[in-house]
């Protein structure tokens, strides 16, 4: 028995033809990504060379893994790794907890005008760069002219220069980062709250549940899928402790607790001209981050049914 072809295009081909305009619209973005994201990756070869800018990529001496071995033996690399993971983990945890609390509290406000005003005030710092915010923080925390110093003096206490205290500096980074970014996370969780079926709250009111009980037994469980998704996807930022923030706020006094991989690469690469070692450190960070990103997407698929494609 012979099958006779009808000549009709397959469903996949028909779907592709319908999507051709979308692919054409996407083409400029793909070209930009190839030029600015993938083409510069040629520079990763520097991690395996004793790079000399005058000799270029193909003229510099090949040293293999020597830059990585030198990096691992540097006396301060272990502390830099610890600082990066410690600060990044605190930011990840607080970056989840604080926006969730903000969203639940805002959801309890019934006056629309007050709710929008508070939400706007919380969201404003997200639009400001760390260059601006760091200047504001330096002025506020100055032990001589800062507002916080005046409060300490009014209370009869000696002002503390938080930006020069190694033990306090990592926590200052976390607090200021949460202050800047919590507004953005709050919007995400508020959107998750609006998707909860109102009939659940009506039933809870009929059963005599107060607002706190409603938040615990209805709002939080209803937000659980997006919370799990955001938590798992944030694993990819395990080695991203905030380059712009740290660079604008830290000083040699707090290198022991505030120096992270990105600022470490910046100093040894651009300030000390150790291009090979700096590139090796950046490649090491990218490899570790890639593993955590892959793990994050797998966890997001398993627990939140999230897929990229």
């Amino acid at each position: 028995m012979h099958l006779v072809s009808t000549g009709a295009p397959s469903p996949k081909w028909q779907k592709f033809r319908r999507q051709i305009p979308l692919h054409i619209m996407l083409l400029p973005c793909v070209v930009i990504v190839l030029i600015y994201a993938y083409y510069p990756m040629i520079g990763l070869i520097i991690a395996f060379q004793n790079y000399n800018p005058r000799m270029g990529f193909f003229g510099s001496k090949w040293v293999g893994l020597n830059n990585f071995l030198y990096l691992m033996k540097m006396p301060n690399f272990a502390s830099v790794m610890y600082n990066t993971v410690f600060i990044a983990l605190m930011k990840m945890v607080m970056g989840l907890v604080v926006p969730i609390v903000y969203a639940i509290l805002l959801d309890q406000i019934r006056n629309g005008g007050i709710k929008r005003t508070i939400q706007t005030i919380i969201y404003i710092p997200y639009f400001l760069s760390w260059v601006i915010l760091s200047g504001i923080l330096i002025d506020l925390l100055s032990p001589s002219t800062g507002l916080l110093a005046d409060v300490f003096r009014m209370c009869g206490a000696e002002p503390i220069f938080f930006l020069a205290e190694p033990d306090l500096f990592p926590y200052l980074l976390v607090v200021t980062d949460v202050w800047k970014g919590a507004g953005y996370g709050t919007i995400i969780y508020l959107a998750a709250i609006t998707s909860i079926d109102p009939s659940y709250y009506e039933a809870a009111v009929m059963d005599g549940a107060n607002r706190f009980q409603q938040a615990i037994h209805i709002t939080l469980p209803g937000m659980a899928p997006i919370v799990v998704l955001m938590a798992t996807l944030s694993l990819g930022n395990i080695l991203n402790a905030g380059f712009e923030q740290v660079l604008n706020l830290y000083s040699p006094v707090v290198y022991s607790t505030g120096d992270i991989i990105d600022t470490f690469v910046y100093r040894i690469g651009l300030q000390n001209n150790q291009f090979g070692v700096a590139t090796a450190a950046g490649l090491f960070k990218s490899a570790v981050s890639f593993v955590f990103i892959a793990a994050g997407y797998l966890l997001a698929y398993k627990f939140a049914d999230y897929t990229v494609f």
Side-chain angles (χ1 to χ4, degrees), residues 28-246:
C29 300
V30 173
V31 173
I32 291 174
V33 170
L34 290 174
I35 294 175
Y36 292 102
Y38 285 91
Y39 176 70
M41 290 177 67
I42 297 174
L44 293 177
I45 195 175
I46 297 175
F48 306 95
Q49 294 178 328
N50 182 12
Y51 181 70
N52 186 326
R54 184 172 61 85
M55 303 296 294
F57 292 150
F58 305 105
S60 298
K61 182 181 178 181
W62 184 267
V63 296
L65 298 177
N66 287 355
N67 287 326
F68 293 92
L69 296 175
Y70 176 79
L71 178 69
M72 298 302 173
K73 293 179 181 179
M74 294 184 71
N76 57 338
F77 184 71
S79 65
V80 168
M81 281 293 300
Y82 173 80
N83 295 339
T84 304
V85 175
F86 179 65
I87 294 172
L89 280 176
M90 287 198 298
K91 287 183 176 181
M92 287 166 54
V93 173
M94 298 306 296
L96 286 172
V97 174
V98 174
I100 291 173
V101 174
Y102 276 175
I104 293 175
L105 293 178
L106 283 173
D107 184 61
Q108 300 302 313
I109 299 176
R110 297 294 180 255
N111 188 306
I114 296 176
K115 183 176 181 178
R116 287 190 294 271
T117 301
I118 295 176
Q119 186 174 342
T120 302
I121 293 173
I122 294 173
Y123 198 33
I124 284 176
Y126 180 77
F127 294 99
L128 302 179
S129 71
W130 275 115
V131 176
I132 297 173
L133 289 179
S134 62
I136 296 173
L137 290 171
I138 291 171
D139 288 338
L140 288 175
L141 301 176
S142 171
S144 56
T145 60
L147 177 62
L148 197 58
D150 293 336
V151 174
F152 272 94
R153 293 190 187 95
M154 290 174 59
C155 297
E158 188 69 22
I160 300 174
F161 191 18
F162 291 92
L163 295 175
E165 290 289 338
D167 294 335
L168 300 176
F169 187 73
Y171 302 99
L172 177 66
L173 293 176
V174 175
V175 171
T176 53
D177 181 76
V178 172
W179 168 57
K180 183 179 188 297
Y184 178 79
T186 301
I187 292 178
I188 296 176
Y189 296 118
L190 278 174
I193 292 175
T194 58
S195 65
I196 300 174
D197 191 344
S199 63
Y200 294 155
Y201 293 100
E202 295 171 0
V205 172
M206 294 294 293
D207 290 337
N210 56 36
R211 289 190 179 184
F212 178 77
Q213 292 170 327
Q214 293 175 35
I216 296 298
H217 298 288
I218 299 176
T219 306
L220 280 177
M223 296 169 62
I226 190 65
V227 172
V228 172
L229 175 62
M230 298 299 292
T232 52
L233 295 182
S234 66
L235 289 176
N237 294 319
I238 192 67
L239 293 184
N240 289 328
F243 171 70
E244 296 87 355
Q245 179 194 20
V246 178

